[in-house]
Amino acid sequence: MQVRVLCYGAESLHEQPCDDLVEALEWIGTSEMTWIEVRGLDDVDSLRRMTDRLGLHGLILEDIVHLHQRPKADPYDDHLFIATQALQQGETVETQQISMIVGNGYLISFRNALDEHIEPVLNRLRAGQEHIRRNGADYLAYALLDTVIDSFFPVLESYGETLEDLESEVLGLNEEDGMQRIHALKRELLMLRRAVWPQRELVNSLLHPETPFITRNTRVYLRDCYDHALQLIDMIEVYRELSGGLLETHLAATSARANEVMKVLTVIATIFLPLSWIAGIYGMNFDPDVSPLNMPELRWFFGYPFAWLLMLGTAAALLIFFHRKGWIGRKSFSRREDAHGQNE
């Protein structure tokens, strides 16, 4: 467990690491605002001593330690507990929990990993930005929530680019590869939807006037945070519809390719069917010596060439018939192109 304490006011900032979480609690009240930033949740003993020292409800310890809590805000008599889910993007997109205890003049944040969502707020404090320095714990909680929610936008933009690439490639993808990529995208968008919807409910609960430790001034900024959550939900819903449309397009293209193959096989089978019938007739074991009606062609001088010409002529006649009907050849392609142009 790594603990860092930041004590700041409008004109000053003091930052230092601490070896023990309980020791860090001694800094509360020594300045206008104290932020205790905890990374790593393996030392449950220290966390339990912290809750006892601050008189926190026992459920808070359970919510901090058990990750993947649904984003929520639980008000208590002398503190407010907030749990949110941030995104961690690597080979796959995962969610990581950030928990906060908001009290009078202090905020304690907990995370198991994930640096990128805390660092922007730390940099704003270190840079001496007047607004965050002059406001209390509720504004710091807003700043952390806003950073977490805004971190969804780059991830969704990358999904938008992936959808554009898939849209241009979907007609050329083979069946297995296309299905895997689109289904993986749909699963990840569903995971993002499950992460963003509770964020909206969390921010909305903080906007209620009866929520303690949230000042009227901070609620103005939380409304902007709420708008960002709504925007994220709209983007996710649009991308889910697009991915569903891509799946339907991919299935339609796969079905069309299968139909083309079946058409070719059907044409081949249709051509060879009469040829097999002709060959079957001449393969029958009738003896022309018994009767002049028993296949007299067997005694013709040109009987064998006649059989070949009959079969080739039948095949040619069928090909010409199919071509005129537009089932094969240029008419078939032109009809498909015209239909494609009308659809566009």
Side-chain angles (χ1 to χ4, degrees):
M1 176 181 288
Q2 299 176 9
V3 182
R4 175 168 40 186
V5 177
L6 294 97
C7 298
Y8 62 90
E11 305 295 335
S12 63
L13 170 67
H14 176 72
E15 178 181 352
Q16 75 169 45
C18 284
D19 297 327
D20 185 69
L21 177 57
V22 178
E23 176 188 339
L25 299 178
E26 301 293 337
W27 290 90
I28 296 177
T30 59
S31 61
E32 295 178 29
M33 176 63 196
T34 302
W35 178 14
I36 301 176
E37 202 268 309
V38 182
R39 178 180 179 183
L41 305 175
D42 51 338
D43 192 351
V44 181
D45 232 14
S46 293
L47 294 173
R48 185 175 290 108
R49 284 188 286 121
M50 175 207 68
T51 57
D52 294 340
R53 179 71 175 272
L54 294 176
L56 304 179
H57 197 282
L59 290 175
I60 291 182
L61 176 61
E62 183 179 343
D63 289 337
I64 293 173
V65 175
H66 293 87
L67 304 178
H68 306 293
Q69 294 283 337
R70 181 182 175 87
K72 62 178 182 176
D74 292 335
Y76 295 91
D77 292 336
D78 55 353
H79 56 273
L80 173 67
F81 177 76
I82 299 173
T84 185
Q85 294 289 339
L87 286 186
Q88 185 175 20
Q89 189 173 22
E91 295 182 0
T92 59
V93 177
E94 298 177 351
T95 56
Q96 295 286 342
Q97 180 172 311
I98 296 178
S99 306
M100 290 173 270
I101 298 173
V102 183
N104 288 317
Y106 72 90
L107 183 144
I108 308 175
S109 63
F110 305 89
R111 57 190 171 116
N112 199 35
L114 204 70
D115 293 323
E116 60 268 23
H117 300 97
I118 299 291
E119 290 302 322
V121 182
L122 287 171
N123 293 335
R124 288 168 61 186
L125 282 172
R126 291 164 180 161
Q129 289 192 7
E130 184 176 350
H131 209 70
I132 193 170
R133 287 278 195 92
R134 289 185 179 275
N135 287 275
D138 58 336
Y139 188 86
L140 179 59
Y142 150 74
L144 291 171
L145 282 174
D146 186 58
T147 305
V148 167
I149 290 176
D150 286 347
S151 70
F152 281 75
F153 283 101
V155 177
L156 283 176
E157 288 172 3
S158 68
Y159 279 107
E161 295 173 359
T162 302
L163 281 168
E164 290 179 3
D165 294 339
L166 275 175
E167 191 173 9
S168 60
E169 299 172 4
V170 67
L171 296 178
L173 292 173
N174 62 61
E175 183 176 1
E176 184 177 355
D177 185 42
M179 292 287 286
Q180 287 180 351
R181 290 178 63 180
I182 295 174
H183 275 299
L185 185 62
K186 285 176 69 68
R187 283 195 303 271
E188 292 179 2
L189 286 173
L190 179 60
M191 183 272 294
L192 289 175
R193 184 177 184 272
R194 289 173 176 170
V196 172
W197 273 89
Q199 301 279 11
R200 185 199 65 166
E201 298 173 7
L202 163 62
V203 178
N204 188 43
S205 67
L206 295 176
L207 287 172
H208 293 167
E210 60 271 14
T211 303
F213 302 100
I214 303 296
T215 62
R216 183 177 180 181
N217 179 57
T218 302
R219 288 194 186 97
V220 176
Y221 296 99
L222 284 171
R223 290 195 196 102
D224 180 65
C225 202
Y226 183 77
D227 291 339
H228 288 177
L230 290 180
Q231 186 178 352
L232 287 172
I233 291 172
D234 290 340
M235 291 175 66
I236 291 173
E237 294 302 326
V238 169
Y239 289 163
R240 290 187 69 208
E241 291 179 6
L242 286 175
S243 62
L246 284 178
L247 182 60
E248 293 177 1
T249 303
H250 176 67
L251 292 175
T254 303
S255 178
R257 287 195 292 266
N259 289 339
E260 287 294 324
V261 173
M262 291 301 299
K263 187 177 77 171
V264 172
L265 295 176
T266 302
V267 168
I268 294 173
T270 304
I271 291 173
F272 275 90
L273 186 63
L275 303 187
S276 301
W277 176 70
I278 294 172
I281 290 177
Y282 286 103
M284 292 187 295
N285 295 323
F286 284 102
D287 189 356
D289 292 333
V290 176
S291 169
L293 299 177
N294 288 350
M295 302 183 72
E297 299 93 339
L298 295 179
R299 294 190 179 278
W300 293 356
F301 183 79
F302 293 104
Y304 179 68
F306 169 76
W308 268 106
L309 287 173
L310 180 61
M311 289 188 286
L312 292 174
T314 302
L318 288 172
L319 287 172
I320 293 171
F321 176 75
F322 293 155
H323 180 73
R324 288 183 177 180
K325 284 288 186 180
W327 296 343
I328 60 173
R330 294 181 180 177
K331 287 186 179 180
S332 175
F333 289 111
S334 63
R335 286 182 181 179
R336 286 200 298 273
E337 290 173 359
D338 292 341
H340 180 68
Q342 291 175 1
N343 291 333
E344 290 181 350

